Amino acid sequence: MPRGIMPCEAYSGNEGELMQLRPNRVKRKLEAGEPAFVIGGFTHADDIDSFGPVGFDGVWLEGEHGGVDAADLGNLTRACDIWGMTSVVRVNRNDQGLIYRTLDRGAQAIVVPHVDSRADAENVVAGGKFPPLGRRGLFTSRQGYGVPGYLAEANDETLLIALIEDIEAWRNLDDILEVEGIGVFFVAPSDFAASMGHIGDVGHPDVQEKIEDALRRIVAAGRTAGTLAMTGNAQRFAEIGVRFFFTVTSPWVAAGADSFRAAVSEGI
């Protein structure tokens, strides 16, 4: 856990004491130039609690393809808050109302799919930031209950993540990178490959070349690059300049299961 960020630090428990806005751990680490580690694969608050002591920076809550709905977000984001982890929610479309409603439900970061143009990126900011940066509806998020001045401070703790997952986004990347207010430009490999006609073949040389080119251009522009990373390629992405690292639990579970079975077999 980074220095100065402790679970539940927003409230000391003293009667009548005002709340402080919870820090966005992922956002702060990225702004400091440090890598941020985000885990995906959880749909229940108890699972987030069990993972909390591991020390990751954020939890990716899958609202585009997975089973996370608006009604679930209160408990899921509260579990993240307990451990000082950033709640990172992927929504299923680039819709201003959906973006700020998800923030209202307690999310600290929003992932928006298929940001293919400058206009798409500007729409993300419009939905995810309060005026004067955007047009987010003026409502106090669950993160803002009891926080004086929440509407004036929330933009500083709200992280917006644009998915660069189509070849069209690669073509328009220079224009997209000029949009202020986007905290991470995340190159998503599977949809990227499909948009190039290589569905299911992320390892195709043309796909890998375009993905690496996109990441390098993001870094060269002085913006923050993110991508899906596994143990085998995380070092390579770090060398390129990626700082937002998203991974999932399933490969770890599979590797642990294989190792366990192998250990038993060796003793028989």
Side-chain angles (χ1 to χ4, degrees):
M1 185 171 295
R3 294 186 299 274
I5 299 179
M6 297 294 292
C8 300
E9 72 167 9
Y11 179 55
S12 69
N14 296 329
E15 184 177 355
E17 184 173 338
L18 295 173
M19 294 282 286
Q20 296 177 357
L21 186 58
R22 294 180 183 87
N24 187 322
R25 178 169 163 179
V26 168
K27 189 172 188 287
R28 290 191 175 184
K29 288 193 72 176
L30 294 175
E31 289 173 346
E34 301 174 14
F37 302 103
V38 176
I39 188 72
F42 301 135
T43 58
H44 197 283
D46 288 348
D47 295 329
I48 295 172
D49 279 335
S50 67
F51 189 80
V54 172
F56 261 50
D57 302 304
V59 174
W60 182 295
L61 301 170
E62 185 52 65
E64 181 181 16
H65 298 295
V68 174
D69 296 318
D72 304 320
L73 288 175
N75 285 331
L76 292 169
T77 60
R78 268 189 289 272
C80 292
D81 291 343
I82 287 171
W83 293 98
M85 294 189 292
T86 299
S87 47
V88 180
V89 182
R90 173 154 66 168
V91 296
N92 61 13
R93 63 187 182 278
N94 190 353
D95 177 271
Q96 291 183 29
L98 176 62
I99 291 168
Y100 63 69
R101 174 164 167 72
T102 304
L103 291 168
D104 291 346
R105 293 290 295 145
Q108 290 184 305
I110 300 290
V111 182
V112 180
H114 301 291
V115 178
D116 293 339
S117 67
R118 183 187 185 107
D120 289 344
E122 289 172 344
N123 195 67
V124 174
V125 177
K129 297 289 187 179
F130 287 121
L133 297 179
R135 296 188 295 180
R136 179 180 171 186
L138 296 182
F139 183 82
T140 300
S141 161
R142 185 184 68 71
Q143 294 288 348
Y145 292 160
V147 178
Y150 170 76
L151 297 177
E153 300 175 11
N155 284 345
D156 292 336
E157 301 297 345
T158 301
L159 178 65
L160 301 178
I161 303 167
L163 288 188
I164 306 300
E165 53 183 343
D166 299 293
I167 192 63
E168 186 67 17
W170 177 82
R171 296 189 184 105
N172 295 325
L173 186 56
D174 291 343
D175 284 341
I176 294 171
L177 291 173
E178 292 180 356
V179 176
E180 296 298 325
I182 303 291
V184 176
F185 297 86
F186 184 102
V187 181
S190 294
D191 283 316
F192 203 102
S195 75
M196 294 179 63
H198 300 296
I199 188 168
D201 189 9
V202 173
H204 191 283
D206 290 346
V207 175
Q208 287 296 305
E209 186 274 330
K210 292 292 192 301
I211 288 175
E212 183 166 326
D213 175 75
L215 292 171
R216 290 188 182 279
R217 288 162 64 193
I218 293 165
V219 173
R223 310 304 297 271
T224 300
T227 196
L228 173 66
M230 302 301 175
T231 302
N233 60 14
Q235 180 177 343
R236 172 63 175 164
F237 286 133
E239 291 169 350
I240 290 172
V242 170
R243 290 298 177 264
F244 182 100
F245 291 89
F246 168 52
T247 194
V248 292
T249 57
S250 50
W252 299 350
V253 173
D258 288 344
S259 178
F260 182 79
R261 285 193 295 263
V264 172
S265 297
E266 289 175 4
I268 295 175

